[in-house]
Amino acid sequence: MSKAKTATPVTDPVHTRAPYWQDVPDEKWMDWRWQMSHRLNSVEELDAVIRLTESEKKALGTTGLFRVDITPYFASLIDPEDPHDPIRKQVIPTAREMVPFHSMMEDSLAEDKHSPVPGLVHRYPDRVLMLVTTQCASYCRYCTRSRIVGDPTQTFSRSEFDAQIEYIQNTPQVRDVLLSGGDPLVLAPKLLDMILGRLREIPHVEIVRIGSRVPVFLPMRVTPELAEMLGKYHPLWLNIHVNHPNEISPELAAAADRLTRAGIPLGNQSVLLAGVNDSVRIQRKLVHELVKIRVRPYYLYQCDLVAGSGHMRTTVSKGIEIMEGLRGHTSGYAVPTYVVDAPGGGGKIPVQPNYVLAQSPSKVVLRNFEGFITTYTEPEDYDPREVEAQEALIEPRPEPGQSGVLGLLQGEKMFIEPEGFDEVHARGGSEHRLRSGEVKQKWQPLGVGAIEHEPPEPRQLAEKVDDEEEKEAEGDAASG
């Protein structure tokens, strides 16, 4: 691990600065440390820059509210006279944030429940989420992790970092590590360098990803030195978080350019927010502006059921409407995947309009974005076994207990039962002659899953039946 270089302020021209800071020298303004030390978080500070509403003042004066901190740069993107400004709604609280709503939870995605060690979430078979800090450059009002984010007492310790790394080292099925938090790019450069270096020493970790809103909240943090340091750890991917076209400034474009020139592919994760971007027109403008700065739209999230976000949620049907207005209406490369991150910890579930209208063994009926309806004729001689010789050359990856619906399709099992299914339907009865011992084999479907004595393959059975029928036919012909 090489020694981290001393970062120098970015010297790009200043394009975004509110009149309140007009006397700040450019060198200070473009210094990310100055931005972090001058963040706004009180009624007095914000009211000097933005004309606050009574609802905003009430929320800002409430104790126990999720943390408020806004960089001067990001505050400069807000229209100070517009109470409906889409950037303002993302970072300045209102009294509506204090109103509880049905189904809200502290940890709606059950991340802490699915953490084998503190700060490491292993939800999917081959990848883990590694939370490396609870701090951000600014704080989103709809933050999924508001239970820990922004709270200095929840910061992860060195021993917890070590436990996270040890778990990954001891779990060879993990090929992909996502760093998040908080925001990994607010970490001290030496600490981030150390974490990336240790991950890169693990042979089975193929890629590392970073989720960060720093390029959006604090683009001057993306210095040439930071981009160079990140570029040492390829293959490394980075997803930023832009929700509205107004956030795409010349400063963000310059930061994205520094990252892409360091060989880092960029994606964008947006959250669907009421009054911010719940519009086909806004979403189209957003994805068009993103691809112009070489950022590919990746996910559009349904807002989570996290406390404080009730007034920012839309219906899922609005998200489907937006996807209807993107797919086919603009470049496929600019269309994100719309997902609901399942409450209770089920992971991301993609949701989209239905393009398959009907199916038969020989045809599929489909429709396009215009409503044009067509049929696709299925091949009559397709043999899905033809690829098996090539497939056998690739070692299957372990997915213990998580093969899911794919396991049903591939014959590992024939059904997925809810926990306690058999006990519920036994209705408290004791074992008896019809459902105990060896007779339990009556519920083992032939040829599906693993049983003690492998049955003949269905194809072999069919061939045997065909042979017997052929012999019978020959015997009938001879006797005739």
Side-chain angles (χ1 to χ4, degrees):
M1 193 166 16
S2 62
K3 185 177 179 181
K5 296 182 179 179
T6 302
T8 54
V10 172
T11 57
D12 294 338
V14 174
H15 297 276
T16 306
R17 179 165 50 196
Y20 180 78
W21 292 287
Q22 62 183 351
D23 295 330
V24 176
D26 288 0
E27 184 176 342
K28 278 190 175 181
W29 182 259
M30 296 301 287
D31 185 336
W32 67 273
R33 290 183 174 86
W34 182 91
Q35 290 277 338
M36 289 288 283
S37 64
H38 288 78
R39 288 181 293 179
L40 312 174
N41 52 43
S42 68
V43 171
E44 294 73 26
E45 291 172 338
L46 283 163
D47 208 26
V49 182
I50 299 159
R51 190 185 298 275
L52 294 175
T53 65
E54 289 305 312
S55 178
E56 290 168 334
K57 291 178 180 178
K58 179 180 179 181
L60 287 163
T62 302
T63 56
L65 199 71
F66 177 54
R67 183 169 171 178
V68 177
D69 262 323
I70 307 169
T71 60
Y73 160 80
F74 201 65
S76 297
L77 292 172
I78 298 172
D79 181 344
E81 303 297 330
D82 182 5
H84 304 293
D85 181 272
I87 294 177
R88 176 187 199 133
K89 288 186 174 184
Q90 296 179 54
V91 290
I92 300 180
T94 68
R96 296 179 69 189
E97 190 170 312
M98 299 179 280
V99 179
F101 63 94
H102 190 272
S103 297
M104 77 176 193
M105 289 178 266
E106 184 179 351
D107 180 12
S108 66
L109 306 184
E111 290 183 329
D112 296 341
K113 184 191 290 186
H114 298 161
S115 297
V117 297
L120 189 109
V121 183
H122 191 174
R123 172 161 295 145
Y124 302 99
D126 67 344
R127 53 209 183 274
V128 295
L129 168 68
M130 186 174 174
L131 305 180
V132 295
T133 180
T134 60
Q135 304 303 296
C136 294
S138 296
Y139 294 91
C140 308
R141 305 321 302 165
Y142 48 88
C143 178
T144 295
R145 301 190 187 106
S146 56
R147 66 189 184 279
I148 58 170
V149 165
D151 184 351
T153 67
Q154 295 288 341
T155 298
F156 298 101
S157 65
R158 179 61 183 265
S159 63
E160 287 172 330
F161 284 149
D162 291 340
Q164 292 173 349
I165 295 290
E166 183 180 7
Y167 177 86
I168 296 168
Q169 288 172 329
N170 295 333
T171 313
Q173 74 188 70
V174 174
R175 48 165 286 278
D176 176 358
V177 178
L178 170 60
L179 301 185
S180 187
D183 196 315
L185 295 192
V186 303
L187 286 175
K190 288 183 179 180
L191 179 56
L192 180 58
D193 195 16
M194 179 274 291
I195 292 171
L196 291 170
R198 291 185 66 183
L199 289 172
R200 270 283 155 253
E201 291 170 356
I202 302 174
H204 56 264
V205 173
E206 298 173 4
I207 63 170
V208 177
R209 293 181 289 152
I210 296 176
S212 174
R213 208 174 184 187
V214 157
V216 182
F217 284 147
L218 191 66
M220 50 285 294
R221 172 67 184 96
V222 184
T223 61
E225 292 86 0
L226 176 66
E228 181 183 350
M229 184 272 284
L230 295 174
K232 294 187 304 181
Y233 298 109
H234 285 309
L236 184 140
W237 299 64
L238 195 147
N239 278 319
I240 64 174
H241 177 178
V242 181
N243 288 323
H244 192 278
N246 289 1
E247 298 167 51
I248 302 177
S249 65
E251 287 88 346
L252 172 55
D257 185 65
R258 282 189 285 276
L259 291 166
T260 53
R261 288 182 186 276
I264 301 168
L266 299 179
N268 184 67
Q269 302 184 137
S270 299
V271 178
L272 187 58
L273 300 170
V276 173
N277 58 11
D278 52 332
S279 151
V280 170
R281 197 178 305 171
I282 292 172
Q283 287 288 342
R284 274 195 212 168
K285 176 70 171 173
L286 172 60
V287 298
H288 290 167
E289 294 300 316
L290 284 167
V291 295
K292 283 163 62 176
I293 62 169
R294 291 181 286 173
V295 177
R296 185 174 186 182
Y298 179 44
Y299 280 135
L300 173 62
Y301 284 91
Q302 180 68 13
C303 189
D304 292 327
L305 299 174
V306 65
S309 69
H311 62 295
M312 304 195 80
R313 296 193 304 127
T314 71
T315 59
V316 173
S317 61
K318 173 55 71 172
I320 295 173
E321 176 192 335
I322 287 170
M323 297 310 296
E324 189 73 70
L326 294 178
R327 175 66 62 188
H329 295 273
T330 192
S331 316
Y333 206 76
V335 179
T337 300
Y338 174 47
V339 294
V340 176
D341 216 338
K348 301 175 189 68
I349 300 172
V351 182
Q352 65 174 352
N354 186 15
Y355 297 102
V356 178
L357 302 183
Q359 290 175 275
S360 75
S362 61
K363 287 184 174 62
V364 179
V365 181
L366 307 141
R367 62 95 175 175
N368 80 340
F369 72 102
E370 300 168 292
F372 175 82
I373 297 177
T374 188
T375 57
Y376 180 84
T377 303
E378 301 278 42
E380 296 179 359
D381 58 350
Y382 170 63
D383 182 2
R385 293 174 176 263
E386 189 175 339
V387 76
E388 288 179 354
Q390 295 300 315
E391 183 181 53
L393 301 176
I394 300 174
E395 190 72 23
R397 294 195 65 90
E399 294 188 345
Q402 288 191 284
S403 60
V405 175
L406 179 63
L408 300 181
L409 292 172
Q410 296 187 335
E412 292 180 17
K413 57 180 75 173
M414 198 167 179
F415 29 76
I416 297 175
E417 301 171 342
E419 184 178 356
F421 182 83
D422 289 339
E423 289 78 6
V424 168
H425 289 83
R427 308 300 179 187
S430 60
E431 293 295 292
H432 55 69
R433 64 182 179 83
L434 296 181
R435 62 176 184 90
S436 64
E438 292 185 2
V439 300
K440 289 185 176 180
Q441 290 292 325
K442 70 172 75 174
W443 298 297
Q444 173 61 52
L446 180 64
V448 179
I451 56 176
E452 290 183 14
H453 305 290
E454 287 293 330
E457 288 287 332
R459 173 177 282 191
Q460 294 172 338
L461 290 173
E463 289 173 351
K464 182 178 179 182
V465 171
D466 289 343
D467 289 343
E468 291 175 353
E469 289 179 347
E470 189 174 330
K471 288 178 182 177
E472 287 179 9
E474 289 173 354
D476 291 343
S479 62

